[in-house]
Structure formats: structure tokens, C-alpha cells
Amino acid sequence: QKKENAESESATGPDYLAAYYRRLSGPSDELRRAAASAFVAYELSISKTFVKHEGIARTLAEPTVLIPFALFEVVFMLNMGFLSQENQLLANADKMKNHRVSIVHGRADYVCQPQAAYCLYKALQKAGNTRVKLEFVAGAGHSDSEPGNIDAIVRATDLYRTA
């Protein structure tokens, strides 16, 4: 199969995110929808512990949701989550040492692995933050809409409301 010219090469191989971005922002409605469908179907299939296929199907069937969802995700990833440098949170943990921090992370998160949350927690402690809390949520993945993550987030924010 012939490789499409929308793919760019980097020193480490094809730049798939850049290729998706070009497809998602290009002039062809058909190509935009196909790229968005592929990207979003994959993203939604790995972001929750218990995948609801009917919810994925609804999202994939609605282009007014599908294409902006995919475009937002790709732009976010291309821009390193809008951080200015890799490992910025870890490198600047000392700037957060006087803030209360609650980290909620799904134990079964396959998008952002749990050790990332643990590394941030340890970096904040090392920087002198004595008000950092970490909760790994059993039975939850990446999505903030999973019941266990919702519960943990609400409990964490309730603590801030009363403190």
C-alpha cells in the first residue's frame, strides 16, 4: 500500500500525531471524518476500564462532536499538554510546595500510567510539600467520568471546600 504524503518523518519515525492533525484540519470532509473516527475510537476504547461500546458508537456517529473531540485531543498532545517543557511539573515541584495538592489517578489508566502520578507525588514531597495527597482509584482508568474517579475527585474537592 502506498504511503500517503500527509505522513511526515522524524528522526524516530513517522509523526502520526502531525499526520492526524493535517487530516483533521484539511479540506476533505471525508478524510477529516475518517481520521477523527479512527483516533476517537481508539482513544475511547483505552480511556475507560469498562468500555461502553454504545457510547463510542454515538460519539462516532455525530460529526459535530467527533471532529472537534479528535482535533482538541491531537492539538493537546502536539503541544505537550500546553506545558512549555517536558517534565515541567516535576522540574517545578518546588513552586507548588505551599499549595494543597490532591492527585487522583485511575489504577488501570493506560493513557497516562499510574507511575506518573506517583513520581509527581514524590517530587512534591521532596520539594517540601506536606499537603499533597495521592489516591489510586481501583477499577478506574483515565476517564474522569468513571464512577471511582468521580467519587475520589468529589471527595478531594470537598476537602478544599471545608478547609
Side-chain angles (χ1 to χ4, degrees):
Q1 182 178 351
K2 185 178 170 188
K3 198 176 200 183
E4 291 187 33
N5 63 4
E7 307 225 357
S8 62
E9 296 286 330
S10 71
T12 58
D15 187 344
Y16 294 114
L17 281 175
Y20 266 114
Y21 177 76
R22 282 190 295 281
R23 288 174 173 91
L24 290 167
S25 59
S28 168
D29 288 340
E30 183 180 343
L31 189 55
R32 276 199 316 275
R33 185 172 173 101
S37 286
F39 189 89
V40 170
Y42 176 74
E43 172 85 11
L44 293 178
S45 74
I46 65 166
S47 65
K48 292 189 177 196
T49 304
F50 302 101
V51 178
K52 295 184 178 179
H53 297 286
E54 64 279 357
I56 294 174
R58 276 194 308 276
T59 301
L60 296 179
E62 183 52 57
T64 60
V65 173
L66 174 67
I67 295 170
F69 181 118
L71 197 52
F72 172 81
E73 291 285 325
V74 169
V75 168
F76 182 79
M77 290 177 197
L78 282 171
N79 289 283
M80 296 185 340
F82 302 111
L83 297 174
S84 61
Q85 65 186 36
E86 194 171 322
N87 296 319
Q88 184 174 349
L89 289 176
L90 296 174
N92 291 290
D94 62 311
K95 294 180 181 179
M96 297 180 279
K97 70 180 176 187
N98 296 318
H99 296 277
R100 289 180 294 160
V101 178
S102 292
I103 303 168
V104 173
H105 203 103
R107 187 174 298 282
D109 188 337
Y110 297 109
V111 178
C112 299
Q113 294 184 351
Q115 69 244 28
Y118 183 74
C119 287
L120 178 58
Y121 173 73
K122 294 307 281 182
L124 288 166
Q125 285 185 323
K126 185 177 179 182
N129 190 321
T130 58
R131 300 185 303 164
V132 58
K133 296 179 184 198
L134 171 62
E135 181 175 350
F136 287 115
V137 181
H142 185 73
S143 177
D144 63 353
S145 67
E146 290 196 274
N149 283 341
I150 291 171
D151 178 63
I153 292 167
V154 169
R155 282 187 287 103
T157 55
D158 281 350
L159 288 174
Y160 292 117
R161 183 172 42 152
T162 60

